[in-house]
Amino acid sequence: MEKKDKKEIIPKKKIKNELIIHIMILIILLFICGWDRVVNIPRFPKNFLFLTQICLYTNIIYYIINLYHNLKKQTALDINPNLLFFLNFNFSISFVVFIMYWSMIILDKTTLYKKETKVKVPTFLNMLLHGGIFTANLFEIFFMNKRKKFPYIKIVFYFFFTIIYIGILYISKILFNIKVYPFIYGNALKFLIIIFASFISCLVGHYIYIFLTKQKIENKNENNYEEFELN
């Protein structure tokens, strides 16, 4: 009976730990969102056109939904497959935001900001928006309870997402004269290079996600093999 009780307690502990991690991450994301709106750059509703902002809000939605599922879980491995697709997307996009933003800042700030623009975003907030969210998703993967199988987004999704997103930016410029990123409306070659780099960054983030989650599966198989050997 004691062994059975222990087996029943372990999953509950894992669920509780996962719940605590999700609450902490959500609090951090809400803090970032609140600080960002106080600074108010970019202004509402224009902020929803920026990939950084899209990444922030989709992650907030993911962790809110995850908290709801945490409360309904019966076992540590009871995870909605749709949430894993959502995590896959969030991880890839947060990686793009992290890599693309700091690459452009280091190489040429004018790809993001016009020469006369003075960025007033606090440095620490900038780091949280363009790296902190990606770090949160890394924590989510490292502390996630192991599963037998992870579903993955198909690569073609990232291609269509890129096309649709850029299309929305162009429509916003044509209809409302809202220019989100300077490079979108400038040199055609630079535009194509950035689009290609964004798509490749999505794929890199996607394959990093696959690598990290597949490692968890392999480790689980090794542990099971070791248990079998001991028995």
Side-chain angles (χ1 to χ4, degrees):
M1 288 295 291
E2 287 182 6
K3 287 185 179 179
K4 187 177 180 181
D5 290 338
K6 284 182 181 179
K7 286 182 180 180
E8 290 176 354
I9 291 170
I10 291 172
K12 290 182 181 179
K13 285 184 178 179
K14 287 183 178 180
I15 293 171
K16 185 178 179 181
N17 291 338
E18 194 177 82
L19 179 64
I20 292 170
I21 290 168
H22 288 157
I23 290 173
M24 290 174 63
I25 291 175
L26 183 58
I27 289 172
I28 292 170
L29 292 177
L30 291 174
F31 170 75
I32 295 171
C33 182
W35 191 3
D36 178 67
R37 289 303 84 210
V38 169
V39 175
N40 209 23
I41 300 175
R43 294 183 179 278
F44 176 87
K46 182 182 175 182
N47 62 306
F48 288 108
L49 292 173
F50 288 81
L51 190 61
T52 300
Q53 299 284 314
I54 293 171
C55 176
L56 172 61
Y57 288 102
T58 56
N59 272 275
I60 288 174
I61 292 170
Y62 167 78
Y63 285 103
I64 288 174
I65 296 173
N66 226 337
L67 280 177
Y68 171 73
H69 281 278
N70 280 141
L71 297 173
K72 291 178 63 178
K73 275 185 179 182
Q74 297 298 319
T75 69
L77 300 180
D78 184 15
I79 303 174
N80 189 319
N82 293 327
L83 273 179
L84 295 177
F85 280 117
F86 201 179
L87 175 61
N88 189 174
F89 172 77
N90 282 341
F91 183 91
S92 301
I93 296 302
S94 62
F95 176 80
V96 173
V97 169
F98 170 63
I99 290 296
M100 294 296 291
Y101 180 84
W102 294 111
S103 297
M104 292 180 190
I105 286 294
I106 293 169
L107 296 175
D108 184 4
K109 287 185 180 181
T110 58
T111 54
L112 288 172
Y113 307 106
K114 295 177 181 178
K115 290 181 180 179
E116 63 274 13
T117 303
K118 293 182 180 179
V119 184
K120 299 178 182 178
V121 182
T123 303
F124 187 58
L125 175 59
N126 230 349
M127 293 172 67
L128 289 173
L129 284 168
H130 305 100
I133 299 172
F134 175 64
T135 304
N137 287 327
L138 281 175
F139 268 90
E140 169 70 350
I141 290 173
F142 288 139
F143 291 100
M144 183 191 296
N145 291 311
K146 296 175 183 178
R147 292 175 55 82
K148 291 181 179 179
K149 187 177 180 181
F150 278 76
Y152 300 113
I153 294 174
K154 292 183 178 180
I155 293 173
V156 69
F157 171 83
Y158 296 107
F159 175 75
F160 284 111
F161 175 79
T162 303
I163 298 299
I164 292 170
Y165 177 63
I166 298 303
I168 291 172
L169 295 184
Y170 263 101
I171 291 171
S172 300
K173 194 264 182 182
I174 294 169
L175 297 181
F176 308 107
N177 198 31
I178 298 175
K179 296 181 180 180
V180 177
Y181 300 112
F183 65 83
I184 293 291
Y185 321 99
N187 184 291
L189 179 60
K190 183 187 287 187
F191 166 73
L192 291 174
I193 291 172
I194 295 297
I195 295 303
F196 178 74
S198 300
F199 178 63
I200 294 300
S201 296
C202 274
L203 293 187
V204 172
H206 177 69
Y207 283 112
I208 289 174
Y209 176 82
I210 290 176
F211 172 76
L212 292 175
T213 51
K214 279 193 173 180
Q215 282 292 102
K216 295 173 77 64
I217 297 169
E218 288 169 7
N219 289 339
K220 181 176 182 180
N221 291 337
E222 287 174 7
N223 290 337
N224 290 341
Y225 179 76
E226 287 175 4
E227 289 176 6
F228 176 78
E229 286 289 312
L230 288 171
N231 292 332

